[in-house]
């Protein structure tokens, strides 16, 4: 193999965000060596990978296959012993995590901008995961960023394109390149966790569901498992073919963007159960007939019902949620007398807790739930978890949720997003609020009083690392909360996220509509941060 050293110049904007590097596709196309700089900077930040295995795959978006060819040549030139690639270049984020762990790889690249739209005028992205199958820890992402500022050259080699359509093995010099079928590895793992027989019985009855692949990565996985393995009728999975532009859609599984699924589940004859996943397959939305399950409630319900699932029959070591996620799971942890951790936003913080055996389940309000079976959130896994619970409890999704609220109380919860706000204005708003944090305690809103307010900082209980500035919290004496943070995954301007929560014990009040139940807190959140003034927006772009 002829290794080529190519001179390159650094860019100053390759700082990985909450979930890797995300930019407009045109940035990757038009800036010379943009992808190469990131990949080489990653290799330069790692030690001891010579002769080891690298996993590569993506969510199938525009640019996916070309990027895989580039990375494969660079991996060979840098001395990896083996490169494992998902067939057609496809790997969902949880399947990549599964494959990294199963084949004891050194790490892997996932090509995705997750739930962001795809295509030449939309977004592309890349993230690096370590040998535990989880997102690179902060020490590595910081090193990658430092290297992108200094990079002068990258290594590649001449080699014909890999045939991504065919499972099999070829060589580039000393490097073996293997195209694998990741769906079978992932399906086997699911089979080890869930009671597939019980779910098969469920589909033999008149139980019906609709799964929306949103023309992104999960379609083939969902078809293989739900329709072929578990016997759900053909057509259960809609929008099942991954398209380079996700069919022009926005593959974010929420009530705004999963339009087709929402019209079915809130239409005249909905099936019992509805679900959707995002661009790279790590998120999930759970729906019943005319009924939406908030992700924070879903996490709490999975925790409360975990022992119904064979893979968790012995109970949970502990649970964790990201700071802005509602405290619904905290109530369950208290009842189960297991530890409950509160981490900053982003999956990497859960990985350490799982590796140390401190938690089994975790989740985020942003439609992400997962367990220690992999080190990423896992959309289809959450759907199978719900199916397993439904198969055992034999009642509706809505009944399960209402019974849960009855027992544990209800955490009313909403997130208001202001997308594409001018960056400096959004930062000014946060700073302005930060400056006034000390004056907030003891303020009264209706019957609530502010007990404290701070800028969340986290010390990792496993490795002691500190992450500061993770979101401004205003905490009330009755458990209500307002949280403000700026997104780390947007690609245009800044996205302000405001998270609002109120705990209600009295079942008589559980039927109130969410925005109404939270109206006084929403008004206070807007006023105190002067959102309208700073963002020049009269209302949020997306409410979930
Ligand atoms: C968002 C979510 C966060 C999630 C991240 C990656 O980040 O809020 O909870 O972990 O996306 O999700 P941010 O910084 O924009 O709020 V995904 O589906 O990209 O992998
Ligand atoms: Co995602």
């Amino acid at each position: 193999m002829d290794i080529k050293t190519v001179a390159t110049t650094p860019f100053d904007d390759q700082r990985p965000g909450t979930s890797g590097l995300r930019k407009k596709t045109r940035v990757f196309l038009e800036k010379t060596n943009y992808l190469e700089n990131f990949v080489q900077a990653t290799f330069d930040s790692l030690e001891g990978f010579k002769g080891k295995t690298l996993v590569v795959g993506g969510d199938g978006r525009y640019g996916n296959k070309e990027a895989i060819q580039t990375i494969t040549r660079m991996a060979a030139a840098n001395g990896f012993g083996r490169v494992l690639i998902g067939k057609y270049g496809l790997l969902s984020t949880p399947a990549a995590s599964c494959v990294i762990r199963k084949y004891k790889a050194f790490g892997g690249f996932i090509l995705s901008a997750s739930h962001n739209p795809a295509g030449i005028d939309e977004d592309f992205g890349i993230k690096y995961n370590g040998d535990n199958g989880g997102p690179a820890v902060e020490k590595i992402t910081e090193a990658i960023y430092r290297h992108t500022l200094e990079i002068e050259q990258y290594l590649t080699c001449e080699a014909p394109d890999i045939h991504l359509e065919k499972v099999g093995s070829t060589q580039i010099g000393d490097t073996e390149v293997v195209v694998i079928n990741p769906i079978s590895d992932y399906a086997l793992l699911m089979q080890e966790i869930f009671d597939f027989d019980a779910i098969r019985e469920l589909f033999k009855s008149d139980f019906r569901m609709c799964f929306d692949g949103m023309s992104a990565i999960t379609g083939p996985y969902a078809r293989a498992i739900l329709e072929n393995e578990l016997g759900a009728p053909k057509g259960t999975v809609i929008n099942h073919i991954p398209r380079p532009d996700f069919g022009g859609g926005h593959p974010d599984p929420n009530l705004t963007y999963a339009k087709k699924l929402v019209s079915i589940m809130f239409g005249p004859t909905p099936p019992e159960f509805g679900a959707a996943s995002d661009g790279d397959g790590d998120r999930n939305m759970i729906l019943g007939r005319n009924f939406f399950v908030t992700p924070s409630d879903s996490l709490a319900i999975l925790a409360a019902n975990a022992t119904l699932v064979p893979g968790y029959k012995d109970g949970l070591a502990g649970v964790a949620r990201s700071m802005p996620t509602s405290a619904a799971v905290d109530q369950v942890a208290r009842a189960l007398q297991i530890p409950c951790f509160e981490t900053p936003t982003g999956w990497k913080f859960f990985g350490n807790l799982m590796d140390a055996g401190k938690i089994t389940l975790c989740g985020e309000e942003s439609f992400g739930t997962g367990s220690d079976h992999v080190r990423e959130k896992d959309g289809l896994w959450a759907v199978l978890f719900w199916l397993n619970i439904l198969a055992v409890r034999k009642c509706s999704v809505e009944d399960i949720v209402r019974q849960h609220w009855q027992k544990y109380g209800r955490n009313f919860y909403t997130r208001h997003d202001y997308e594409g706000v001018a960056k400096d204005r959004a930062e000014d708003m946060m700073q302005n609020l930060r400056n006034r944090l000390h004056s907030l305690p003891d303020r009264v809103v209706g019957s609530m009083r502010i007990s404290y307010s701070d800028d969340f900082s986290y010390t990792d209980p496993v490795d002691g690392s500190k992450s500061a500035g993770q979101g401004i919290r205003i905490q009330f004496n009755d458990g209500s909360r307002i949280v403000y943070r700026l997104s780390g995954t947007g690609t245009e301007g800044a996205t302000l996220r405001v998270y609002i929560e109120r705990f209600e014990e009295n079942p008589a009040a559980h039927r109130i509509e969410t925005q109404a139940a939270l109206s006084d807190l929403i008004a206070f959140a807007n006023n105190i941060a002067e959102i309208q003034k700073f963002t020049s927006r009269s209302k949020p772009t997306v409410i979930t």
Side-chain angles (χ1 to χ4, degrees):
M1 174 182 48
D2 268 342
I3 297 179
K4 287 199 301 182
T5 306
V6 183
T8 188
T9 42
F11 308 127
D12 59 1
D13 61 346
Q14 292 194 341
R15 178 179 281 281
T18 320
S19 184
L21 179 69
R22 285 183 200 180
K23 293 284 170 189
K24 288 287 160 203
T25 307
R26 286 193 191 275
V27 174
F28 279 92
L29 293 176
E30 286 163 11
K31 284 200 177 184
T32 320
N33 305 334
Y34 198 79
L35 175 72
E36 289 85 346
N37 278 1
F38 184 78
V39 173
Q40 188 65 52
T42 305
F43 292 155
D44 293 346
S45 307
L46 304 172
E47 266 169 35
F49 58 76
K50 296 272 183 265
K52 301 271 171 66
T53 299
L54 182 74
V55 171
V56 186
D59 61 11
R61 68 178 62 221
Y62 185 95
N64 190 53
K65 287 187 177 164
E66 295 73 13
I68 288 174
Q69 303 290 357
T70 303
I71 295 170
T72 305
R73 289 190 187 100
M74 289 182 65
N78 277 277
F80 274 93
R82 191 165 66 147
V83 181
L84 297 183
I85 308 175
K87 195 178 172 190
Y88 304 116
L90 298 179
L91 267 179
S92 76
T93 288
S97 187
C98 159
V99 167
I100 290 172
R101 295 167 68 79
K102 180 164 180 173
Y103 296 97
K104 307 210 174 340
F106 188 86
F109 281 112
I110 303 169
L111 301 158
S112 171
S114 189
H115 52 286
N116 297 14
I120 188 158
D121 292 314
E122 298 294 350
D123 294 352
F124 191 74
I126 177 167
K127 52 186 172 178
Y128 178 75
N129 282 24
D131 63 356
N132 71 347
V137 291
E138 220 149 59
K139 213 175 90 195
I140 300 286
T141 54
E142 283 304 316
I144 295 173
Y145 179 56
R146 272 202 316 277
H147 277 103
T148 61
L149 300 178
E150 295 159 4
I151 191 163
E152 288 177 352
Q153 58 181 48
Y154 70 88
L155 301 182
T156 185
C157 61
E158 293 286 355
D161 276 357
I162 304 298
H163 293 293
L164 299 175
E165 288 67 29
K166 236 179 96 205
V167 168
S169 162
T170 47
Q171 289 286 136
I172 301 180
D174 290 339
T175 307
E176 186 190 17
V177 181
V178 193
V179 175
I180 60 165
N181 177 356
I183 296 180
S184 43
D185 288 322
Y186 180 80
L188 274 176
L189 181 59
M190 293 302 112
Q191 210 168 345
E192 284 167 19
I193 300 173
F194 298 108
D195 187 345
F196 270 29
D197 287 335
I199 303 174
R200 267 187 211 111
E201 285 305 311
L202 185 67
F203 282 123
K204 275 190 198 146
S205 71
D206 54 8
F207 177 92
R208 292 294 170 261
M209 79 170 283
C210 177
F211 181 96
D212 192 345
M214 301 190 84
S215 304
I217 188 72
T218 348
Y221 292 84
R223 285 246 292 193
I225 295 174
L226 298 175
E227 295 184 7
N228 300 346
E229 272 290 321
L230 296 170
K234 293 270 169 278
T236 293
V237 182
I238 59 171
N239 298 318
H240 63 85
I241 301 171
R243 311 245 182 229
D245 65 347
F246 298 146
H250 191 152
D252 198 353
N254 59 39
L255 294 175
T256 307
Y257 293 127
K259 285 197 189 72
K260 185 156 178 193
L261 178 70
V262 169
S263 71
I264 293 171
M265 296 308 295
F266 290 83
T269 51
E272 281 83 354
F273 182 48
S277 196
D278 72 332
D280 63 333
D282 55 2
R283 296 184 177 205
N284 72 90
M285 174 166 70
I286 300 294
L287 301 172
R289 276 194 173 129
N290 295 301
F291 193 82
F292 168 64
V293 185
T294 68
S296 297
D297 279 347
S298 180
L299 171 64
I301 288 164
L302 299 191
N305 291 276
T307 52
L308 302 180
V309 172
Y312 310 102
K313 66 175 189 322
D314 298 330
L316 308 173
V319 291
R321 61 166 171 83
S322 68
M323 183 273 282
T325 301
S326 99
V329 74
D330 303 34
Q331 314 285 354
V332 177
R334 206 165 298 134
L336 296 175
Q337 298 187 326
I338 56 173
C340 178
F341 296 86
E342 184 178 44
T343 62
T345 295
W347 213 258
K348 59 187 166 197
F349 299 96
F350 295 138
N352 270 355
L353 296 171
M354 289 182 180
D355 289 347
K358 289 183 182 295
I359 60 165
T360 313
L361 292 191
C362 54
E364 297 188 282
E365 50 65 43
S366 54
F367 299 84
T369 353
S371 90
D372 60 358
H373 67 291
V374 288
R375 293 294 181 274
E376 287 276 6
K377 53 188 181 271
D378 189 342
L380 199 47
W381 166 90
V383 174
L384 291 166
F385 206 132
W386 267 93
L387 278 171
N388 199 146
I389 294 172
L390 291 166
V392 176
R393 290 191 45 184
K394 298 185 173 52
C395 59
S396 73
V397 170
E398 179 168 354
D399 286 343
I400 288 177
V401 177
R402 291 205 181 276
Q403 286 167 22
H404 185 91
W405 291 338
Q406 190 116 36
K407 183 164 177 192
Y408 297 97
R410 175 172 183 186
N411 292 71
F412 282 100
Y413 187 81
T414 190
R415 183 176 105 183
H416 288 195
D417 290 340
Y418 298 79
E419 293 174 348
V421 175
K423 233 185 170 136
D424 48 346
R425 300 293 288 156
E427 277 158 12
D428 285 351
M429 191 212 89
M430 292 294 282
Q431 193 51 47
N432 181 48
L433 192 57
R434 216 171 273 127
N435 293 343
R436 288 182 299 126
L437 282 180
H438 63 275
S439 68
L440 297 180
D442 292 329
R443 263 198 196 223
V444 171
V445 180
S447 59
M448 300 167 279
R449 190 176 44 77
I450 297 178
S451 45
Y452 69 87
S453 57
D454 66 355
D455 196 352
F456 180 56
S457 101
Y458 177 70
T459 305
D460 191 299
V462 181
D463 65 18
S465 61
K466 259 208 160 111
S467 308
Q470 297 295 323
I472 294 177
R473 317 189 272 191
I474 302 179
Q475 178 79 43
F476 292 83
N477 59 340
D478 67 341
S480 298
R481 278 198 311 167
I482 301 168
V483 174
Y484 305 82
R485 57 177 285 281
L486 298 183
S487 155
T489 62
T491 55
E492 265 175 326
T495 296
L496 165 68
R497 305 200 196 283
V498 188
Y499 312 79
I500 298 150
E501 169 178 9
R502 187 167 75 80
F503 180 64
E504 176 61 66
E505 209 158 3
N506 177 6
H510 288 169
R511 287 190 179 266
I512 303 175
E513 194 274 322
T514 301
Q515 300 300 312
L518 296 170
S519 60
D520 50 353
L521 281 167
I522 292 171
F524 179 76
N526 290 348
N527 287 339
I528 199 77
E530 300 178 277
I531 294 179
Q532 274 67 28
K533 183 182 122 191
F534 281 100
T535 66
S536 313
R537 298 288 169 79
S538 58
K539 56 178 188 357
T541 330
V542 179
I543 296 181
T544 47

